[in-house]
Amino acid sequence: MDFQVVVLAGGVSKKLLPLVSKELPKALLPVANRPVLSYVVELLELSNLKDLIVVVEGEDAALNVGAWISGAYADRLHVEVAAVPEDVGTAGAIRAIARHLYAKDILVVSGDLVSDVPIGAVAATHRRHDAVVTALLCNAPISGPLESVSSGGKDKTKKPGRYDLIGLDPTKQFLLHIATGAEVEKDLRIQKSILRAVGQIEIRADLMDAHLYAFKRSVLLEVLEQKGAFNSLKHDVLPYLVRSQLKSEVLLNGIPQAEENGSEKVISQSNQQMLSQILANASEPTFHLRHTLNTNGSDSVRRTHKCCVYIAGSSKYCARLNSIQAYNDINRDVIGEASHLSGYSFSAHNNIIHPTAELGAKTTVGPHCMLGEGSQMGDKCSVKRSVIGRHCRIGANVKVVNSVVMNHVTIGDCCSIQGSVICSNVQLQERAILKDCQVGAGFVVTAGSECKGEVLAKKWN
Amino acid sequence: MEVKDQAMNSKQKKEKSSKAERRDLQEAQRAAKAAVKAEGNKPSGSVTSVNLKSAKAAKPPQKVDNTSIAASEKKGGDRPSEKDRKKDVPHPRLQYDDKSRVEKAKRRAVVNQTEARNRVELFRHLPQYEHGSQLPDLEAKFFQIDPVHPSVYKVGLQYLSGDISGGNARCIAMLQAFQDAIKDYAVPPEKTLVRDLTAKISSYVSFLIECRPLSISMGNAIRFLKSRITKLPPTLSESESKTSLQSDIEHFINEKIILANKVIVNHAVTKIRDGDVLLTYGSSSAVEMILLHAHELGKQFRVVVVDSRPRLQGKVLLRRLVEKGLSCTYTHVNAVSYIMHEVTRVFLGASSVLSNGTVYSGVGTACVAMVAHVYHVPVIVCCEAYKFHERVQLDSICSNELGDPDVISKVPGREDVNLLDAWANTENLQLLNLMYDATPSDYVSMIVTDYGMIPPTSVPVVVREYSREQVWM
C-alpha cells in the first residue's frame, strides 16, 4: 500500500526516571508484564504492516531493543532497528533515517502508545483527502487519583500540561490549529486567514494527540531539510504544517500527478487542465479550494495543503506512556477496562495469575491484578489492582495496592506498598511502608522505612 | 462427427425429412445453449465471435462444441449475428429481492454491508445499506485489502464517502485508477495476460460496485476496457500490452470525454442568443462549460440555477458561475413553475440517454423538463455519446439508486428542525431517497452530443452505428 512505518522508541526518558535506566530503555518498560513497545508492534502486525523501522536513541538502548525484538518477533516481522544519537528529538530521528524512507507515505508512531485504534483508518483518511499530514486524535484519558502528587515534588504550575488544544473545522476532518497545553499560558493565537477561510472553528480541549501521524514523505523530508532548527515532530513540524496550510510553501510534486503516459505525450496542456477541472469540480470544495479561488484572479498560484485528523471512536482505548502518572494509569487500564489489549485471558476472579505463581495460605489476589511467572507470595498477603512481575519473592503479611512491581523483586514481611512503582531487582526489607513512591532498579529499601511520595534510586554515575 | 454433419447437410439439401429436421433443430438449440453458456462464463462484455471461437478451442473438445462450430459454418452468415446480438445484451443487474443471489454476493463481498431497515416495498429490488457503518469499516481494513490495488481502493473510498460525484468525474477517476492498476500489474506465471487481467478488472469492478453502484457511463467505460483487453494481439509482450492499454485508456478519456465536451460546447453555444434567460438544474459539468464559454464569447444572458435538497449541488455551480461574472438567480425545484415563465431555454445534463430517447439523470430533472414543456420552453440536453446505452426504460422504478435516507431528515444549518430524528423507530414511516429519474423523450427538444445535435429519436441510431468495435478505436 506504499506506506512505511517508523516507530520512535525514544531512549532513556528523563520524565520516567527512575523507572528507566541504561539497561531498561523506555521502550522496554513493562506494562502488564509486557514491554510497552510490544503493544505498538502487535497493533501494526494486526494491520498487516510487517516492515518496520524502529528508531532508538542511544547505542546501548538500541542494542537492548534490538535484542528483544529479534527474540520476540524474529520470523513474524521484518524490523530494522536504527540507533540515533541522544537528544536529537523526534525530528532529528527522522532526519537520521531519511535515506531509508522510500514509500510515498510514512506512518510515524510513538513507541509508547498503547492503543487499539485501527491504523488502517488513519491511513485511509490520509489517502482519501490526499493530505500532507494526518494526525490521530483520541479522547484524553481521565487521569488517576494521584494527579496532584506527581513525581518530582510539588509543581503546581505543571498541572494543566496534560492536554492539547485542538482546532477543528465544522466537519471535523481538518486540523486548523494545534497547541500543546504546556505552551499555552493565557492566550491562544489562531491564524486569521484560516479562520476567514473556514468560517467556523471548533476548539477542543478534550482531545489528545496520540502521536501517530501519517506524513507525505516528500513534504516531511522537505520541511525537515528546510527548517533545520526543528527538533520535535509534535511541537515544531506539526504546528508549522498546520499554520501554513493555506499559504503552503512546500513544493507539492505536481498538483495532481500527471498520468504516466508510456512514451507519448498525448495530453496537451489544455486537456490536462480540463481534466483536473472536471475532477476538482466534482467534489464538495473544501475551504482550501475556496481560499485559492478567492484571491483576486492574480496569477500567483496560492497553494494549499491539507492537514487531516482522524478522531478515534470513544470506544477505543488510546494512551501514551510519557509520565509516571501515565504509567500507573496504563497499567491499571490494561488489566482493568482495556483488558483486551493485554492479550491475556482472565481467570474467573477477573485477574491473571500465571500457573507457576505460588500463593501462600490466606493470600488474596483481588480482581484486576496480575501475577507473573514464578512469583511466590507468602501467607496472608493481599494484592489489589496491581501488577506483579516475574520471579518475585513476596513475604508474609504484605499489602500491595494499586502498584506495579517489576521482576525479581524481594519484598520482606509486613510491608505495605501503595500506589508505587518498584523496579526490578529491588529489595524491600521488612516493615517498609511505601506510599506513592518510585523505587529505582537495584535499590535496597532498609527495614522499617516509611516513604511518602519519594523517589528512591541509586545514584547514577 | 464431420461425416455425420455432411450427411445431414446433404439430406438437408435434398429434402428435409422430419427426423433430420428435428435433429437440426435439436443441434441448433444445443449450439445456442453452448454459446450462451460460454458467454455467461466470462464477465459480461461485448465479445467478438473471434474470441468466442478461441475460448471454445481452449475448452476440452466436447461433442457439443464440435457440433456448434460445425453448425455455425453450416448456417453461414446469420448465425454469428444472432450470437452477437445475444452477447450484446448486457447482464441483468443483480435484483436484490432475490435472497439466494444476495447471500452469494454477500459472501464474496469485500465491504461489509448491513441492510437498512424500513425499506420501501416498491424499491426492494434495489440495494439499500446502512450508510453510517460502511465507511469506518472499509477504512479499518485499509491494510488488509490485498487483492484491491491502492488507487482503486482510494477511488472506492471516495465514492463511498461522497467525495466524488457526477458521471464524468466518477468515470475519469475510475479509469485513472485502472491505469495505475494496469501499470503495477504483473502476469502471474502459467496464466495469460488477457484472462487474468480481465478477471482482475472484474474483481476491482465488483469492489467499486459494493462502494457505490456503477453509473451507466462507468459501465460503458468498463465494457470498452474489457474489449480492448480481449483484442490485444497475443504477439505483444507484457510491457507492450500494458503500455498499449494505458494509452488506450488515455485516448478514451481524451476523445470521449474531454474532446466530446469541447465539441458539445461549440455546438450548444450557437443556441444561446443575446438576452436569453437560461435555466439549469443541479450541477452538470457539460452545462457549466457551455455557460462559461458563452460568457467568454461575450454573449449577454442570465442564468437561473435550480437546486434541490438534499444534495444542494446547485450551490457549488452557482459559486463558480458568480465568480466568473455571470448574473445568476438561484431557486429551489419547488419554485420552478413560478420562474419558468421568464425562461427562454433550459439546459440539462444527463447521466445517460437510453435507446428510446429517455434521459436518465439526477432526480428532479424530469420535473423541470415537464414544466418547461408546458410553458413551451425548449429543453436542450447535453450528453456525451459514450454515455448512451441501448437499454430501454419506461419508468424510474425498475432501475435506480437509493441514497442515504438520513440526509432527508436533516436540514443543514437548522439544528432545531429535528422532528424526523427518530424516524427509523416509527414502524409505518419509510424514507426514500432516490438518486435518479427518467425523463420521457417527449419533453426533450434536442440532445447535443459530440456527434452533433440530434433529436431524441436518433439516439438508437447513434448507439447502433457508433458503438460498434470499429468506432471504439
Side-chain angles (χ1 to χ4, degrees):
Chain A
M1 278 279 178
D2 222 10
F3 266 92
Q4 245 184 322
V5 187
V6 175
V7 180
L8 298 173
V12 182
S13 152
K14 304 247 174 13
K15 281 192 265 190
L16 285 169
L17 281 177
L19 303 180
V20 298
S21 62
K22 268 186 19 178
E23 292 82 31
L24 191 69
K26 182 170 108 166
L28 296 179
L29 208 55
V31 169
N33 285 342
R34 270 171 62 182
V36 70
L37 193 58
S38 73
Y39 291 97
V40 172
V41 176
E42 299 265 312
L43 185 63
L44 292 170
E45 198 184 344
L46 265 180
S47 306
N48 227 8
L49 289 164
K50 299 219 158 87
D51 251 311
L52 321 172
I53 303 181
V54 177
V55 181
V56 189
E57 277 179 23
E59 283 290 339
D60 308 325
L63 282 173
N64 284 336
V65 173
W68 169 73
I69 288 184
S70 42
Y73 294 102
D75 43 351
R76 280 147 58 184
L77 300 172
H78 173 252
V79 181
E80 237 181 79
V81 180
V84 296
E86 304 200 0
D87 280 340
V88 290
T90 44
I94 306 269
R95 270 194 211 105
I97 55 159
R99 63 180 188 284
H100 294 290
L101 302 173
Y102 52 82
K104 187 162 151 241
D105 292 301
I106 314 279
L107 266 176
V108 177
V109 187
S110 172
D112 58 5
L113 180 70
V114 178
S115 166
D116 59 348
V117 173
I119 297 200
V122 180
T125 317
H126 184 78
R127 278 283 164 81
R128 212 177 98 204
H129 293 285
D130 216 12
V132 144
V133 62
T134 304
L136 173 67
L137 301 178
C138 54
N139 292 318
I142 316 165
S143 55
L146 304 174
E147 170 69 275
S148 46
V149 191
S150 51
S151 70
K154 289 97 181 138
D155 249 327
K156 294 265 170 66
T157 54
K158 270 203 185 172
K159 255 210 169 166
R162 279 260 275 173
Y163 54 81
D164 304 317
L165 286 167
I166 311 242
L168 297 173
D169 77 319
T171 61
K172 293 203 192 21
Q173 283 179 322
F174 295 109
L175 187 58
L176 302 176
H177 182 79
I178 182 163
T180 46
E183 293 169 358
V184 174
E185 291 147 42
K186 276 189 242 164
D187 318 339
L188 187 63
R189 286 170 177 256
I190 306 183
Q191 296 275 26
K192 194 156 88 170
S193 54
I194 297 183
L195 189 54
R196 209 186 306 138
V198 184
Q200 234 186 333
I201 179 172
E202 191 183 313
I203 306 240
R204 297 187 57 167
D206 62 338
L207 289 176
M208 184 182 82
D209 180 359
H211 213 285
L212 193 158
Y213 308 115
F215 283 103
K216 199 176 253 195
R217 176 184 64 102
S218 48
V219 173
L220 177 64
L221 293 182
E222 192 186 313
V223 169
L224 288 179
E225 249 178 65
Q226 280 181 357
K227 311 270 176 177
F230 279 174
N231 238 355
S232 152
L233 284 179
K234 177 177 153 97
H235 296 285
D236 299 321
V237 176
L238 188 62
Y240 168 72
L241 285 173
V242 170
R243 270 199 315 268
S244 63
Q245 63 184 295
L246 288 182
K247 5 180 192 79
S248 163
E249 286 147 38
V250 298
L251 278 176
L252 307 169
N253 291 345
I255 309 161
Q257 279 286 12
E259 298 97 43
E260 310 298 322
N261 240 345
S263 43
E264 333 144 279
K265 283 261 169 140
V266 185
I267 302 184
S268 67
Q269 196 54 15
S270 68
N271 273 1
Q272 176 66 356
Q273 227 177 2
M274 204 154 151
L275 192 65
S276 42
Q277 192 70 15
I278 294 185
L279 280 177
N281 285 351
S283 38
E284 210 32 71
T286 60
F287 65 91
H288 302 91
L289 269 179
R290 289 205 290 270
H291 183 78
T292 48
L293 293 174
N294 275 340
T295 64
N296 1 324
S298 55
D299 275 335
S300 63
V301 182
R302 282 261 201 103
R303 299 224 206 91
T304 62
H305 61 244
K306 296 189 185 160
C307 305
C308 293
V309 292
Y310 177 79
I311 303 186
S314 46
S315 59
K316 300 281 181 195
Y317 180 75
C318 191
R320 282 198 64 205
L321 182 60
N322 47 11
S323 68
I324 300 199
Q325 178 60 44
Y327 184 64
N328 276 329
D329 290 339
I330 296 183
N331 264 311
R332 217 182 41 238
D333 289 332
V334 170
I335 33 177
E337 293 132 14
S339 46
H340 53 271
L341 278 174
S342 63
Y344 297 111
S345 52
F346 279 76
S347 74
H349 297 284
N350 217 2
N351 51 20
I352 307 165
I353 302 185
H354 200 272
T356 56
E358 292 168 17
L359 299 175
K362 288 203 184 169
T363 297
T364 53
V365 179
H368 300 303
C369 288
M370 198 162 156
L371 228 59
E373 190 183 348
S375 292
Q376 289 173 353
M377 302 210 56
D379 308 328
K380 288 204 188 155
C381 294
S382 112
V383 180
K384 291 196 180 120
R385 304 197 72 122
S386 304
V387 177
I388 300 187
R390 296 191 198 74
H391 304 294
C392 294
R393 301 258 174 301
I394 302 187
N397 260 323
V398 171
K399 288 198 192 32
V400 183
V401 176
N402 249 336
S403 307
V404 178
V405 176
M406 296 194 203
N407 309 328
H408 301 285
V409 170
T410 309
I411 302 186
D413 303 332
C414 303
C415 289
S416 161
I417 304 172
Q418 247 191 332
S420 310
V421 179
I422 303 188
C423 296
S424 315
N425 292 317
V426 162
Q427 198 188 19
L428 253 71
Q429 296 175 342
E430 50 271 345
R431 281 176 282 115
I433 300 185
L434 296 174
K435 196 165 171 353
D436 305 328
C437 299
Q438 290 91 38
V439 185
F443 197 73
V444 175
V445 179
T446 50
S449 45
E450 282 188 31
C451 309
K452 255 195 200 174
E454 285 176 27
V455 175
L456 307 168
K458 285 208 305 209
K459 293 285 175 246
W460 281 64
N461 43 339
Chain B
M1 210 62 246
E2 296 293 75
V3 176
K4 189 158 113 197
D5 283 345
Q6 268 155 24
M8 282 178 43
N9 256 339
S10 51
K11 263 199 198 155
Q12 188 187 15
K13 280 173 199 150
K14 286 180 204 160
E15 94 219 288
K16 269 231 160 111
S17 69
S18 58
K19 194 176 177 196
E21 210 175 356
R22 274 181 274 126
R23 208 9 147 1
D24 259 4
L25 193 58
Q26 190 188 41
E27 254 153 11
Q29 280 171 348
R30 220 186 281 158
K33 199 167 153 195
V36 170
K37 201 165 92 168
E39 176 217 353
N41 277 346
K42 291 213 199 94
S44 71
S46 51
V47 181
T48 59
S49 47
V50 173
N51 197 32
L52 183 64
K53 287 217 177 92
S54 64
K56 290 255 176 70
K59 278 194 198 153
Q62 293 164 7
K63 212 165 155 191
V64 180
D65 288 356
N66 274 344
T67 42
S68 65
I69 292 179
S72 65
E73 286 166 295
K74 178 167 59 172
K75 289 280 168 70
D78 50 328
R79 256 279 127 193
S81 65
E82 197 179 288
K83 275 193 208 150
D84 276 338
R85 264 189 288 131
K86 281 213 182 96
K87 279 174 253 150
D88 282 343
V89 169
H91 257 295
R93 284 207 193 171
L94 178 57
Q95 301 299 305
Y96 285 84
D97 43 4
D98 183 347
K99 280 228 174 327
S100 56
R101 293 237 179 132
V102 171
E103 283 303 316
K104 242 201 236 172
K106 247 197 207 175
R107 265 182 265 137
R108 279 185 269 131
V110 173
V111 186
N112 266 348
Q113 316 270 32
T114 48
E115 302 239 332
R117 305 167 289 166
N118 282 29
R119 303 177 56 162
V120 179
E121 273 304 321
L122 193 58
F123 290 96
R124 261 193 195 275
H125 59 281
L126 298 173
Q128 166 100 63
Y129 298 113
E130 294 272 341
H131 275 247
S133 56
Q134 287 169 326
L135 187 58
D137 193 63
L138 199 59
E139 278 184 337
K141 283 202 204 153
F142 187 69
F143 289 114
Q144 281 140 358
I145 311 278
D146 276 327
V148 177
H149 189 267
S151 321
V152 178
Y153 194 89
K154 175 175 163 195
V155 167
L157 270 181
Q158 285 175 325
Y159 286 171
L160 193 51
S161 56
D163 282 346
I164 287 194
S165 63
N168 276 341
R170 283 172 70 190
C171 193
I172 293 177
M174 179 187 75
L175 285 176
Q176 288 181 335
F178 282 165
Q179 264 186 325
D180 286 341
I182 290 179
K183 189 171 70 144
D184 294 339
Y185 170 75
V187 186
E190 316 252 323
K191 293 214 174 134
T192 58
L193 178 93
V194 170
R195 298 271 174 72
D196 194 57
L197 188 57
T198 315
K200 237 189 160 65
I201 300 273
S202 306
S203 71
Y204 293 161
V205 168
S206 42
F207 169 72
L208 289 178
I209 293 181
E210 284 164 23
C211 295
R212 191 177 160 186
L214 290 183
S215 68
I216 298 190
S217 56
M218 290 165 69
N220 285 350
I222 293 170
R223 247 195 313 175
F224 155 76
L225 179 61
K226 286 190 178 163
S227 75
R228 296 307 297 168
I229 295 178
T230 51
K231 278 180 124 181
L232 281 176
T235 51
L236 282 186
S237 77
E238 180 183 326
S239 55
E240 281 171 9
S241 318
K242 291 200 310 191
T243 36
S244 132
L245 279 178
Q246 283 178 287
S247 69
D248 280 343
I249 295 183
E250 205 55 67
H251 280 291
F252 182 86
I253 294 181
N254 270 336
E255 291 181 25
K256 299 287 173 187
I257 304 182
I258 312 271
L259 275 180
N261 269 323
K262 289 192 181 162
V263 171
I264 289 177
V265 166
N266 283 334
H267 281 303
V269 292
T270 59
K271 293 295 174 194
I272 302 182
R273 308 161 301 187
D274 282 346
D276 261 346
V277 179
L278 307 175
L279 184 134
T280 178
Y281 176 76
S283 163
S284 159
S285 51
V287 173
E288 183 182 338
M289 279 192 247
I290 293 173
L291 295 173
L292 292 175
H293 192 241
H295 184 71
E296 273 169 37
L297 289 179
K299 304 206 178 199
Q300 302 297 318
F301 58 94
R302 63 184 182 90
V303 178
V304 177
V305 177
V306 178
D307 201 3
S308 76
R309 277 192 66 226
R311 301 188 65 196
L312 291 174
Q313 287 172 315
K315 274 195 191 171
V316 178
L317 173 67
L318 182 69
R319 183 187 291 272
R320 288 199 285 262
L321 291 179
V322 166
E323 262 156 15
K324 299 287 177 159
L326 279 82
S327 49
C328 303
T329 309
Y330 177 81
T331 180
H332 277 212
V333 70
N334 55 344
V336 72
S337 54
Y338 293 99
I339 202 148
M340 194 54 80
H341 68 96
E342 298 180 356
V343 174
T344 57
R345 302 247 192 280
V346 173
F347 278 89
L348 297 173
S351 172
S352 162
V353 182
L354 307 173
S355 266
N356 59 340
T358 309
V359 173
Y360 188 73
S361 179
V363 65
T365 316
C367 230
V368 172
M370 283 185 228
V371 173
H373 181 82
V374 166
Y375 280 85
H376 307 290
V377 174
V379 173
I380 304 172
V381 171
C382 310
C383 177
E384 298 87 354
Y386 85 101
K387 289 181 181 167
F388 289 179
H389 201 268
E390 61 260 0
R391 201 166 84 198
V392 169
Q393 195 171 330
L394 300 173
D395 56 41
S396 314
I397 300 175
C398 61
S399 166
N400 208 319
E401 187 184 331
L402 293 178
D404 183 12
D406 285 323
V407 297
I408 301 185
S409 57
K410 294 199 197 25
V411 181
R414 294 285 305 273
E415 307 301 331
D416 49 332
V417 180
N418 55 358
L419 303 158
L420 280 181
D421 271 352
W423 69 270
N425 301 335
T426 321
E427 289 209 345
N428 50 353
L429 176 63
Q430 291 147 353
L431 259 60
L432 178 67
N433 183 4
L434 283 176
M435 307 281 279
Y436 291 106
D437 70 9
T439 311
S441 58
D442 317 326
Y443 304 127
V444 177
S445 319
M446 185 169 70
I447 303 184
V448 183
T449 75
D450 41 336
Y451 292 116
M453 299 194 272
I454 56 177
T457 46
S458 304
V459 171
V461 176
V462 171
V463 170
R464 191 181 65 225
E465 297 297 323
Y466 289 105
S467 64
R468 284 287 150 231
E469 306 314 315
Q470 63 266 25
V471 193
W472 287 127
M473 284 161 302

